[in-house]
Amino acid sequence: MEKILEVKDLQLSFHTFAGEVKAIRGVNFDLLKGETLAIVGESGSGKSVTTKAIMRLLPESSSEFKSGEILFNGKDLTKLTDKEMQKIRGKDISMIFQDPMTSLNPTMTIGRQITEPLLKHQKVGKTEAKKIAVDLLRMVGMPKPELRIKQYPHQFSGGQRQRIVIAIALACNPQILIADEPTTALDVTIQAQILELMKDLQKKIDTSIIFITHDLGVVANVADRVAVMYGGRIVEMGTVDEIFYNPQHPYTWGLLSSMPSLDTAEEKLYAIPGTPPDLLDPPKGDAFALRSEYALAIDMEQAPPVFQVSDTHFASTWLLHPDAPKVEPPLSIIERMKKFPGSRYYEGVRTNG
Amino acid sequence: MAEKLLEIKNLKQYFNQGKANEVRAVDDISFDIYRGETLGLVGESGCGKSTTGRSIIRLYDATAGEVKFNGVSVHGKKSKSDLKIFNRKMQMIFQDPYASLNPRMKVLDIIAEGLDIHGLTKSSKERKDRVHELLETVGLNKEHANRYPHEFSGGQRQRLGIARALAVEPEFIIADEPISALDVSIQAQVVNLLKELQEEKGLTYLFIAHDLSMVKYISDRIGVMYFGKLVELAPAEELYNNPLHPYTQSLLSAIPLPDPNYERTRVRKSYDPTSHNYEDGEEIAMREVTPGHFVFCSAREFESLKLTSAARV
């Protein structure tokens, strides 16, 4: 598969009154053509900052690229000037934001907002742009697009607004679409519609999607590959099946266990104890060690390297070191692992009858 | 069956009544809440679930209908002292932990506000001790009392909201989307806290949410609302295993689960309100299909639902 975006050892800090916040501390990943990569993690784990760094949307005055590069079509995005970046933003890489209520301009008709990137990036006239806008609205499932194009954002519901935001993002057929919690503010039924829409459109125009969310149900639904972020690093990365059925990092175990599933009725829900690390003064070992019951002595001293589990599966935890003691993951995780060929708890295919 | 703590009868809450833009936010709903249970209320935004909660606690004056708490009507004329007694018994936890705490008050005063209003503590030392005790109950510590809300994270703030609600020793708490604004791992902490407190203090909850998997986890019974109407009410397990109303079925089929194999095969049903084909004059009401399982349906649908449920057993 062709790599479309490469993020290499990215480190980024914010300068605040309290000191230097090391928001991203060495992030590596590739994005392949046509795939959906989900990034999960709690607030403050650096998932939004990573994507904003790719889009160069962080304030220049307070943020600083410490090291690393973001390669897109052979160009390092961290080194581009504002002018050069403006040619990429909205054309080759576009973004859908979390809150459809605030990401549209309330004083402009939605027709003008959809045609804006077209007029800027593509050589089309106003009438042509309008025609494309109507088509785009029809594509995202908006009824009566010819009429609605003259309306303002307040005349639409939340789900409709998110469709409009998607239409704007797709206007120039971007190669990469970054969706930052696009369905978090929406109801489950509307969320289901938007997710289906995004998957359909992805098939049609073959974009790659980076999907940020903290809802693991949504991840299971949309993702091809998953990156789990914690404390400014990717702690585990793999295909969606590897992450859900053969997770290796204790933080991934914790995340998966804290979601109630519809069929289990356990007395108490698993809650990851403690709070996320303070990135003003990040822990020197494994950032998750202080909250983890599986932490080893070395976790406090030295950050774990990345261990390879399979060709596509990587995790950064000392538990995978050959000398580490064999620990039993939580019961609910073992239940998951039983379904995955290649995990040590795999039970094989049960024959029916 | 357990004792009824709250009876809601034909509750209606209309806004802009009589005008062209009349909104029937809650349209004639009836249900009971039993002592010590958790009743979950789910539905999409705008279906009237929050309005129902707010009408029950008298943040809105109901347009019509009756809410009885321990057999006494909540709405209707009340003297100030009666109202005070009632307010102590029923408390609310709000959705947004950022907007529901006064940023200019210290935690001590936020939590003690209810104590002051009801004159529950005699000296300032007693007041302070009580606040410290409440902070420890919700998993914070007493040093937090002298801080301001902005010094806390979202999950901690929601704990403050819970401590404030508990201060006046209520019997019944309405939790209006208490976890929607929180991270997954923090959600589990808050839900566990609510469950522990319920066991300890024998509280009764009305838990309003749109996250269906969490609602199922915390609730004993669940009500599903659609456009101001209650369309189905059943024990939590029963509702998930055997949803009868087509809207409930569509709602359940829309939940993504953290299981890729399930997600690849999940088929979403959509709900079309016209599919019922109700005729004019047909009476549509809550009917009990199996014991404890109520569905909003017509007499005709009721018969067929009864048949299919009987066949299932």
Side-chain angles (χ1 to χ4, degrees):
Chain A
M1 275 276 220
E2 188 190 338
K3 282 179 194 170
I4 192 159
L5 185 84
E6 282 178 75
V7 177
K8 284 185 187 162
D9 191 36
L10 186 69
Q11 296 195 23
L12 186 137
S13 289
F14 290 104
H15 297 287
T16 67
F17 289 116
E20 184 188 336
V21 178
K22 301 181 184 77
I24 303 180
R25 307 187 296 140
V27 163
N28 290 289
F29 68 88
D30 303 327
L31 183 69
L32 306 177
K33 190 160 174 51
E35 76 163 347
T36 302
L37 172 74
I39 304 182
V40 293
E42 37 194 323
S43 353
S45 61
K47 53 192 196 309
S48 286
V49 178
T50 306
T51 53
K52 282 188 180 151
I54 296 170
M55 282 291 264
R56 288 278 300 278
L57 286 175
L58 297 165
E60 305 243 317
S61 54
S62 61
S63 66
E64 186 195 344
F65 285 106
K66 286 291 203 185
S67 73
E69 44 190 17
I70 302 169
L71 293 177
F72 172 69
N73 286 344
K75 275 180 278 188
D76 183 0
L77 297 184
T78 62
K79 304 235 158 46
L80 294 189
T81 61
D82 261 357
K83 261 248 164 78
E84 289 169 315
M85 198 59 217
Q86 277 172 19
K87 285 188 189 141
I88 292 177
R89 220 183 268 140
K91 179 167 177 268
D92 297 321
I93 308 178
S94 61
M95 191 153 179
I96 304 171
F97 295 92
Q98 173 172 4
D99 189 353
M101 306 292 165
T102 52
S103 53
L104 290 170
N105 185 337
T107 67
M108 278 162 75
T109 63
I110 62 147
R112 272 192 67 192
Q113 296 188 55
I114 300 173
T115 50
E116 205 178 7
L118 290 167
L119 295 171
K120 188 159 172 51
H121 294 299
Q122 291 181 341
K123 292 186 182 105
V124 292
K126 270 195 174 165
T127 31
E128 174 68 13
K130 216 175 216 170
K131 250 178 72 190
I132 299 175
V134 171
D135 289 342
L136 280 166
L137 277 183
R138 193 172 291 125
M139 185 170 82
V140 296
M142 183 78 68
K144 295 189 199 142
E146 298 85 1
L147 292 174
R148 305 226 69 171
I149 204 159
K150 295 182 195 115
Q151 293 182 329
Y152 288 88
H154 74 266
Q155 291 166 297
F156 294 85
S157 71
Q160 284 176 326
R161 279 185 229 190
Q162 200 59 297
R163 284 166 195 264
I164 295 166
V165 175
I166 293 175
I168 297 173
L170 295 179
C172 297
N173 292 330
Q175 300 180 43
I176 299 175
L177 178 66
I178 298 174
D180 189 354
E181 312 232 7
T183 59
T184 307
L186 306 173
D187 280 318
V188 272
T189 43
I190 312 295
Q191 165 174 294
Q193 290 170 17
I194 297 287
L195 294 180
E196 276 164 30
L197 172 70
M198 286 181 68
K199 282 196 281 190
D200 278 358
L201 295 177
Q202 185 180 26
K203 263 184 225 144
K204 265 184 218 161
I205 57 180
D206 202 29
T207 42
S208 309
I209 299 181
I210 300 180
F211 201 108
I212 301 177
T213 178
H214 60 247
D215 187 335
L216 293 168
V218 173
V219 175
N221 182 282
V222 299
D224 298 310
R225 287 195 303 145
V226 183
V228 182
M229 279 195 83
Y230 187 80
R233 288 199 176 118
I234 292 179
V235 295
E236 185 162 5
M237 184 153 181
T239 65
V240 69
D241 285 325
E242 284 165 341
I243 296 294
F244 279 88
Y245 298 129
N246 192 22
Q248 299 296 326
H249 197 283
Y251 178 64
T252 317
W253 295 346
L255 269 188
L256 285 168
S257 312
S258 57
M259 290 270 296
S261 60
L262 287 177
D263 48 286
T264 50
E266 286 144 50
E267 256 313 286
K268 210 168 161 168
L269 213 52
Y270 177 77
I272 302 173
T275 49
D278 181 4
L279 294 177
L280 265 172
D281 179 23
K284 90 181 144 159
D286 185 349
F288 187 61
L290 293 173
R291 300 172 72 186
S292 168
E293 54 188 296
Y294 302 99
L296 309 170
I298 191 169
D299 275 320
M300 304 296 169
E301 298 300 321
Q302 201 182 337
V306 177
F307 292 95
Q308 185 162 10
V309 183
S310 76
D311 286 348
T312 48
H313 190 178
F314 303 89
S316 151
T317 165
W318 282 116
L319 293 178
L320 289 171
H321 193 274
D323 295 341
K326 284 276 164 278
V327 296
E328 293 278 297
L331 277 179
S332 63
I333 300 298
I334 294 180
E335 278 305 310
R336 286 176 175 275
M337 287 180 167
K338 283 179 183 168
K339 297 178 198 160
F340 187 78
S343 88
R344 58 189 155 114
Y345 295 97
Y346 183 54
E347 285 188 335
V349 188
R350 241 176 259 138
T351 43
N352 285 328
Chain B
M1 199 69 185
E3 167 197 5
K4 279 179 195 171
L5 181 66
L6 206 72
E7 275 177 81
I8 291 117
K9 270 190 201 151
N10 305 96
L11 182 70
K12 288 180 190 168
Q13 183 72 56
Y14 296 173
F15 296 107
N16 304 323
Q17 202 184 5
K19 295 186 192 145
N21 57 346
E22 181 180 276
V23 175
R24 300 185 168 188
V26 176
D27 198 6
D28 196 2
I29 68 172
S30 308
F31 58 93
D32 300 327
I33 300 175
Y34 299 101
R35 190 180 287 281
E37 79 164 347
T38 301
L39 181 76
L41 209 52
V42 296
E44 3 187 338
S45 37
C47 74
K49 56 191 193 300
S50 287
T51 310
T52 305
R54 286 166 166 259
S55 299
I56 289 173
I57 203 172
R58 210 180 154 162
L59 282 174
Y60 300 133
D61 283 316
T63 309
E66 207 174 16
V67 178
K68 274 188 176 171
F69 183 75
N70 271 334
V72 185
S73 174
V74 170
H75 293 269
K77 218 169 161 192
K78 272 202 165 76
S79 69
K80 266 197 174 154
S81 55
D82 283 346
L83 200 59
K84 234 173 154 178
I85 296 170
F86 160 73
N87 283 343
R88 253 194 85 176
K89 291 190 178 148
M90 214 191 268
Q91 285 287 313
M92 191 146 179
I93 301 168
F94 294 92
Q95 171 171 7
D96 186 348
Y98 292 87
S100 59
L101 301 172
N102 187 338
R104 295 173 35 161
M105 280 165 80
K106 278 186 182 166
V107 165
L108 178 71
D109 298 313
I110 290 174
I111 295 178
E113 204 173 9
L115 300 174
D116 298 342
I117 290 168
H118 295 286
L120 297 179
T121 50
K122 287 176 192 70
S123 63
S124 71
K125 187 180 174 301
E126 198 186 330
R127 178 174 182 260
K128 213 187 247 169
D129 289 345
R130 178 80 180 115
V131 170
H132 290 169
E133 192 188 311
L134 284 162
L135 283 173
E136 272 160 26
T137 318
V138 297
L140 297 169
N141 58 48
K142 56 185 182 190
E143 282 77 41
H144 288 132
N146 288 318
R147 297 197 191 163
Y148 287 93
H150 75 264
E151 297 174 71
F152 294 89
S153 68
Q156 285 177 319
R157 285 181 207 218
Q158 206 51 288
R159 287 169 192 267
L160 293 177
I162 295 170
R164 173 173 63 181
L166 291 175
V168 295
E169 292 169 348
E171 293 174 35
F172 176 58
I173 292 182
I174 298 176
D176 187 1
E177 310 231 13
I179 52 167
S180 305
L182 308 174
D183 262 331
V184 196
S185 62
I186 312 295
Q187 282 186 358
Q189 291 178 6
V190 171
V191 165
N192 282 340
L193 173 67
L194 286 171
K195 268 204 150 178
E196 276 164 32
L197 290 170
Q198 179 168 44
E199 269 165 38
E200 231 168 81
K201 302 181 190 292
L203 294 168
T204 307
Y205 291 134
L206 177 64
F207 192 92
I208 301 169
H210 66 251
D211 178 346
L212 289 118
S213 44
M214 216 39 117
V215 173
K216 183 197 171 213
Y217 175 73
I218 196 171
S219 308
D220 299 303
R221 292 190 303 145
I222 298 175
V224 181
M225 282 188 76
Y226 181 72
F227 274 92
K229 302 261 192 210
L230 193 64
V231 295
E232 190 158 358
L233 178 68
E237 280 296 322
E238 167 77 8
L239 188 87
Y240 277 81
N241 297 335
N242 188 24
L244 294 177
H245 196 278
Y247 178 67
T248 313
Q249 292 169 358
S250 99
L251 203 59
L252 286 175
S253 74
I255 315 172
L257 292 185
D259 186 342
N261 287 337
Y262 168 83
E263 282 302 312
R264 282 179 202 120
T265 52
R266 179 164 63 92
V267 182
R268 190 164 66 84
K269 289 183 189 164
S270 51
Y271 173 57
D272 177 11
T274 58
S275 66
H276 294 286
N277 292 321
Y278 291 131
E279 287 154 27
D280 284 345
E282 220 174 344
E283 197 203 350
I284 307 150
M286 285 303 267
R287 296 169 208 263
E288 191 167 10
V289 178
T290 52
H293 193 155
F294 297 84
V295 183
F296 188 69
C297 59
S298 65
R300 187 164 45 90
E301 285 174 317
F302 179 56
E303 289 308 321
S304 75
L305 284 176
K306 265 209 298 200
L307 281 176
T308 48
S309 304
R312 209 175 61 93
V313 178

